[in-house]
Amino acid sequence: MNLLKHTILILIILQFGLLVKLNAQKVEPVYTDSTGKLFINSGTPVHIYISTNAKGTNAVQLQSEQPEGNPLKWGNHGPKLLSYVNLYTGKQIRFDLFADGLPPKTSTAFEPNKGYQKENTIYLSEGALIELSAHDSNSGTQSIFFSVNGSNFSRYENPIAFDSDGKFVIQFYSVDNVGNQEDEGERIIIIDSTPPTSAHQFGGPVFDNIVAKGTTIALSATDEIGVKSTHFKLNDGPQTPYTKPIAIGQLPEGEHTIYWFSIDLVGNTEEPRSLTFFVDKTPPLVFEEIVGNNYMIAGKEFSSGRSQLRIVGVDNKAGIKDIFYSINGKEFVRYEKPIYLSDISSAITIRSYAIDNVGNRSEGGTSGQQFAMPEVDITGPSVVYSFDGKRIVLRDTLWISSTTQIGILASDKGSGVNRIEFKLNDQPTIPFSEKFSVNTNGYQRVSVTAFDNVDNLNIVNFGFGVDGDAPEVFYHFSQKPHRTETLNDQTVPVFSQVLTMFLAATDNIAGLESISYSINGAKERTYTEPISGFKPGNIYHLSIKAIDKLGNQSNISVQFKVE
């Protein structure tokens, strides 16, 4: 056969011994792209065959005279060249291919307004997605695979979503079209759906959200992954990024509202907060006055000695914090309570100023206010008491009867007596207007308070005993009755003519003063000895009276018959 007269098809067939298996899918170590460019996995054994037809069905393996040519290996990354030289014509035919020994590189991506990355950690807001992409500048990327929190690797097809807050670990790698596999990469994903928490703080004087003209408002925010920005607006003004404390002194006096919110690094936005405050630029007003118990009599003014300097501050909003005063040019001191002026008898000059709770200060008077001081009366009235009626002293205690009148008298050399009040035992205090008596037996306590016309007072306490019980009367006959008779529906004892009658009486407190009696309505006689001389045939009516030393009196009547 004349070989020069026939076209011989030389077919080079590459046979490889390396297959990459990923998730039950084979990746061949050879790849031809859309332009027909041939890529081969670097280091893969290659066998060369020759055939006379395009399909290579009758291909025969070429053997190299050098041992290193069976099979061939291209170990370096880069373009490779096969050449065939026609020995008859000297023409060189080139076969180009590319040995690809570099794997793809996988990268992660997310929406910038929903997350941020710090080193190997990605912070995302709720609903944010992670996208994987791979780049291979040679044979191109065949597949990307990923795993979440140690799960089996899956082929990446759609962005990765997370259904809850927390920490997730994503592992990933890519494979190119000739089976080069990337080393596993890893990202830590933090899903955070919690917005920041913002707060305000006043800088400068503040009291119950009332602020002074120099006060500022500082805003701060905290967030687990970090705060991106804070925004605010005053009243209906424009929304402004917060960068430094907000000066509110330029606001007019009155009520204002600040609104603010913060955004974290993954876009979680806080619900707007607000604070209403009042800008107070008005200083207080101060009033001084002399107060106390003053009384004018016969053209002369008296004071109780409790006359006081009272200073009152009035403020439009924040309220008074401190008041300072000066008397007769002396150093200013803090006013804490009314000042007694009893040691000052001449005219005085007072200057004062007040500071409200946010630091606004009134101007102290330069000339001050002058006051004339009245004559001081610091002594309460003198009090005396008296008893009008029966009384007796027993064992250092004064005893009176229930009819004895008690009188109280007060006198005052200064402003004069205003009123007298008294209290008996634990009863309520009542005004004294006239003499009174006590009809309750036993020891009594009286407390008397007398006031003068400038409310000086004097208290006098005294006690006494009340005996309102009359003596107990006893009588005794010298013999027993012979019999009894019924006279006018009454039973009457009957005695003999030698009858003698004895009288007696007892009194537990004051003692007995006298016993007297009257027979059948005759003149009353003082009992000094037993009664006798009764005549037979007569009915006797005997009236007996006993009186104690306080005038308490008891009366009894006795009826009997003598025969």
Side-chain angles (χ1 to χ4, degrees):
M1 178 181 293
N2 189 350
L3 294 177
L4 297 177
K5 295 181 179 180
H6 297 274
T7 300
I8 299 174
L9 176 63
I10 299 175
L11 176 65
I12 298 177
I13 299 177
L14 305 182
Q15 181 177 332
F16 311 101
L18 175 64
L19 296 177
V20 178
K21 185 177 182 181
L22 296 169
N23 294 301
Q25 182 177 1
K26 295 180 180 180
V27 179
E28 299 289 349
V30 62
Y31 173 72
T32 302
D33 66 12
S34 59
T35 66
K37 188 175 181 180
L38 178 64
F39 294 88
I40 184 171
N41 192 309
S42 178
T44 301
V46 177
H47 300 271
I48 301 177
Y49 288 74
I50 189 168
S51 176
T52 58
N53 64 68
K55 295 183 179 181
T57 56
N58 59 349
V60 178
Q61 184 177 5
L62 294 179
Q63 296 294 327
S64 173
E65 293 181 358
Q66 292 84 15
E68 61 271 17
N70 294 309
L72 294 175
K73 292 183 180 180
W74 290 282
N76 296 324
H77 178 82
K80 305 300 177 183
L81 177 64
L82 286 176
S83 299
Y84 162 69
V85 178
N86 191 319
L87 296 179
Y88 294 97
T89 64
K91 186 176 181 180
Q92 186 179 22
I93 301 174
R94 298 179 53 182
F95 298 93
D96 292 325
L97 58 90
F98 194 94
D100 185 357
L102 299 178
K105 292 185 179 295
T106 305
S107 60
T108 56
F110 51 86
E111 294 181 69
N113 62 338
K114 292 187 177 182
Y116 85 103
Q117 182 170 348
K118 183 178 181 182
E119 297 178 349
N120 200 42
T121 301
I122 298 175
Y123 299 87
L124 298 176
S125 63
E126 183 180 25
L129 302 175
I130 288 289
E131 295 183 3
L132 301 179
S133 61
H135 174 71
D136 189 275
S137 59
N138 300 306
S139 62
T141 302
Q142 200 272 344
S143 297
I144 303 173
F145 299 88
F146 74 97
S147 167
V148 178
N149 290 344
S151 64
N152 293 330
F153 278 89
S154 303
R155 184 185 298 274
Y156 172 80
E157 295 177 350
N158 297 304
I160 305 169
F162 303 90
D163 58 0
S164 63
D165 283 13
K167 178 180 178 182
F168 301 87
V169 177
I170 295 181
Q171 295 171 299
F172 51 85
Y173 65 88
S174 296
V175 179
D176 66 12
N177 282 305
V178 294
N180 290 308
Q181 179 175 313
E182 177 187 20
D183 292 337
E184 290 181 8
E186 181 180 285
R187 295 288 185 272
I188 297 173
I189 309 297
I190 305 295
I191 304 297
D192 174 28
S193 63
T194 303
T197 300
S198 299
H200 76 280
Q201 185 175 10
F202 288 109
V206 59
F207 180 78
D208 286 345
N209 289 345
I210 303 169
V211 299
K213 58 185 178 182
T215 301
T216 61
I217 297 179
L219 302 178
S220 61
T222 58
D223 189 83
E224 187 174 347
I225 64 173
V227 178
K228 180 180 180 181
S229 61
T230 299
H231 305 265
F232 76 95
K233 72 172 184 175
L234 287 169
N235 301 319
D236 295 325
Q239 184 173 292
T240 306
Y242 173 80
T243 57
K244 61 182 180 180
I246 306 158
I248 55 179
Q250 75 278 9
L251 296 173
E253 181 169 88
E255 190 172 84
H256 303 275
T257 301
I258 181 172
Y259 305 88
W260 74 92
F261 64 91
S262 295
I263 304 172
D264 68 13
L265 291 169
V266 297
N268 292 313
T269 302
E270 179 184 23
E271 287 294 327
R273 297 175 179 268
S274 65
L275 170 71
T276 298
F277 57 92
F278 189 97
V279 177
D280 181 4
K281 300 180 180 181
T282 302
L285 298 175
V286 182
F287 304 93
E288 307 110 345
E289 61 177 341
I290 302 296
V291 296
N293 303 99
N294 290 0
Y295 183 73
M296 183 76 71
I297 182 172
K300 192 173 185 179
E301 185 177 10
F302 289 89
S303 167
S304 66
R306 293 185 297 276
S307 292
Q308 299 170 318
L309 166 64
R310 186 173 70 181
I311 305 175
V312 179
V314 179
D315 188 70
N316 67 318
K317 189 67 178 179
I320 302 298
K321 180 181 180 182
D322 283 311
I323 297 175
F324 294 86
Y325 70 96
S326 167
I327 296 178
N328 293 338
K330 294 182 179 179
E331 182 180 355
F332 279 92
V333 294
R334 177 180 282 105
Y335 175 82
E336 296 177 347
K337 59 183 180 180
I339 302 107
Y340 284 102
L341 302 175
S342 57
D343 57 342
I344 301 176
S345 57
S346 59
I348 62 173
T349 300
I350 298 170
R351 291 187 298 156
S352 63
Y353 65 88
I355 302 174
D356 69 14
N357 280 304
V358 294
N360 295 311
R361 171 178 166 169
S362 64
E363 294 296 330
T366 56
S367 59
Q369 186 172 353
Q370 291 189 345
F371 298 91
M373 299 302 296
E375 183 175 332
V376 176
D377 176 7
I378 60 174
T379 304
S382 298
V383 178
V384 294
Y385 55 92
S386 62
F387 298 92
D388 184 6
K390 293 284 187 177
R391 57 189 183 276
I392 186 173
V393 177
L394 299 172
R395 297 183 298 277
D396 297 328
T397 299
L398 176 68
W399 289 85
I400 64 174
S401 73
S402 58
T403 59
T404 300
Q405 296 287 301
I406 302 169
I408 302 172
L409 180 64
S411 60
D412 189 85
K413 296 180 180 180
S415 59
V417 177
N418 178 273
R419 66 190 186 278
I420 301 172
E421 298 174 350
F422 75 97
K423 179 180 180 181
L424 178 63
N425 299 319
D426 295 324
Q427 297 177 11
T429 300
I430 59 175
F432 174 80
S433 57
E434 58 183 1
K435 293 181 179 181
F436 63 95
S437 60
V438 180
N439 56 14
T440 301
N441 287 345
Y443 190 78
Q444 313 294 322
R445 302 183 311 277
V446 176
S447 178
V448 179
T449 304
F451 300 85
D452 65 13
N453 282 300
V454 290
D455 264 357
N456 294 311
L457 59 87
N458 190 18
I459 299 175
V460 173
N461 298 306
F462 61 94
F464 54 88
V466 175
D467 179 12
D469 294 335
E472 186 177 0
V473 178
F474 304 92
Y475 60 90
H476 180 70
F477 296 104
S478 61
Q479 58 182 258
K480 293 183 178 181
H482 300 306
R483 58 185 177 84
T484 60
E485 289 185 5
T486 300
L487 299 174
N488 298 324
D489 297 328
Q490 291 184 354
T491 301
V492 176
V494 179
F495 298 94
S496 68
Q497 64 181 1
V498 293
L499 175 68
T500 299
M501 190 174 185
F502 301 91
L503 302 180
T506 60
D507 189 85
N508 292 330
I509 297 178
L512 186 65
E513 177 71 22
S514 65
I515 302 175
S516 59
Y517 64 94
S518 172
I519 299 175
N520 292 338
K523 182 179 179 180
E524 185 177 282
R525 299 178 182 181
T526 301
Y527 177 79
T528 57
E529 58 182 1
I531 305 170
S532 60
F534 299 103
K535 296 180 178 180
N538 291 327
I539 297 173
Y540 291 91
H541 296 274
L542 190 65
S543 297
I544 306 170
K545 179 172 68 177
I547 302 174
D548 66 11
K549 292 182 178 180
L550 290 175
N552 296 307
Q553 175 181 306
S554 60
N555 297 276
I556 66 171
S557 177
V558 180
Q559 185 175 359
F560 58 90
K561 182 179 180 181
V562 177
E563 62 179 12

